[in-house]
Amino acid sequence: MRNFDIASILINIIALMIAIIPHEIAHGYVAYLCGDTTAKDDGRLSLNPLHHIDPIGLISMLVFRFGWAKAVPINPYRFKGNRKVASLLVSLAGVFTNFILGFISGIILVYLNYRSSFLVPLFTSIFWYNIMLGVFNLVPLPPLDGSKVLATLLPEDLEYKFYKNEKYFYFVLVIMIFSGVVDKFIAPIIESILKGIIYLGINLWNTILF
């Protein structure tokens, strides 16, 4: 039982690294492409976990199934061209990356199930964490990416007020998480996406393998 627990923890940590690190790099890299070198200068375009992982956030993710990484430093006033469009692209970059990784890992998971591979538990976790993080981050409350997407759609005066008061929304998010309100809304979405990808994977591999 002890070995199983240690193995499960290691699998979850590896899966989280694969979900969180590309998410953070995506934010920083898209910001860099849009003209803001802040994340690059801060060393955030790196695969080194120490540049991205917040220890408390990681433990919280393992225990409570929600957590956080180190915030990617972004300066939207350094963006070239339309600031709102660039902000939108940067905000969605991490989520998009999680969905891509979730889709790929889900397709691989179906194949591994056919082969009864020992890697099934790992890819199950990678699959789940990426889809979960992708959906969760679209919740339109700070500090999640969905709040920044919402902010870019607001007129500039309302956007300013939104960011000025965003710290108060942190408490709202925490209350909604622990009360189960967030889970009530996002759990069915996560489940639907997971099932959809598995369905596509089964049809794909049935076509290729049989």
Side-chain angles (χ1 to χ4, degrees):
M1 185 67 177
R2 180 180 175 85
N3 290 335
F4 174 78
D5 289 340
I6 293 175
S8 296
I9 291 172
L10 289 175
I11 284 172
N12 279 291
I13 289 175
I14 293 171
L16 274 169
M17 296 301 101
I18 294 173
I20 291 174
I21 294 174
H23 177 107
E24 300 301 331
I25 292 175
H27 283 311
Y29 186 67
V30 174
Y32 174 74
L33 293 178
C34 291
D36 176 26
T37 63
T38 307
K40 182 178 184 296
D41 296 339
D42 197 50
R44 297 304 298 275
L45 304 187
S46 167
L47 290 173
N48 186 342
L50 298 178
H51 291 172
H52 304 285
I53 301 304
D54 183 301
I56 297 176
L58 177 62
I59 293 171
S60 177
M61 179 68 79
L62 292 170
V63 176
F64 301 110
R65 289 301 181 102
F66 90 93
W68 56 90
K70 294 178 182 177
V72 177
I74 302 293
N75 184 352
Y77 295 101
R78 297 180 68 181
F79 291 152
K80 298 176 182 178
N82 189 303
R83 178 183 64 81
K84 280 185 170 288
V85 172
S87 295
L88 182 64
L89 293 175
V90 171
S91 299
L92 290 174
V95 171
F96 181 75
T97 300
N98 282 136
F99 284 140
I100 291 296
L101 289 173
F103 178 81
I104 293 172
S105 59
I107 298 299
I108 294 174
L109 176 61
V110 173
Y111 177 79
L112 293 176
N113 268 301
Y114 279 127
R115 295 291 182 257
S116 299
S117 171
F118 70 96
L119 292 173
V120 166
L122 174 60
F123 275 85
T124 298
S125 292
I126 295 172
F127 182 35
W128 187 85
Y129 275 121
N130 272 288
I131 299 302
M132 183 277 293
L133 286 173
V135 174
F136 178 64
N137 270 288
L138 286 175
V139 174
L141 286 172
L144 302 178
D145 298 328
S147 69
K148 296 176 178 62
V149 172
L150 174 62
T152 61
L153 301 177
L154 296 173
E156 289 201 10
D157 56 335
L158 292 179
E159 181 186 13
Y160 171 76
K161 292 179 180 178
F162 181 84
Y163 281 123
K164 184 178 180 181
N165 296 288
E166 68 174 337
K167 59 184 178 182
Y168 301 112
F169 291 107
Y170 292 3
F171 299 105
V172 175
L173 178 62
V174 171
I175 292 171
M176 290 180 67
I177 288 173
F178 282 104
S179 66
V181 173
V182 170
D183 186 62
K184 179 180 178 181
F185 283 98
I186 71 171
I189 299 173
I190 293 171
E191 184 178 357
S192 296
I193 295 174
L194 293 174
K195 287 182 177 179
I197 294 174
I198 292 297
Y199 175 79
L200 289 173
I202 290 173
N203 281 278
L204 172 66
W205 292 118
N206 281 343
T207 301
I208 294 175
L209 300 176
F210 302 106

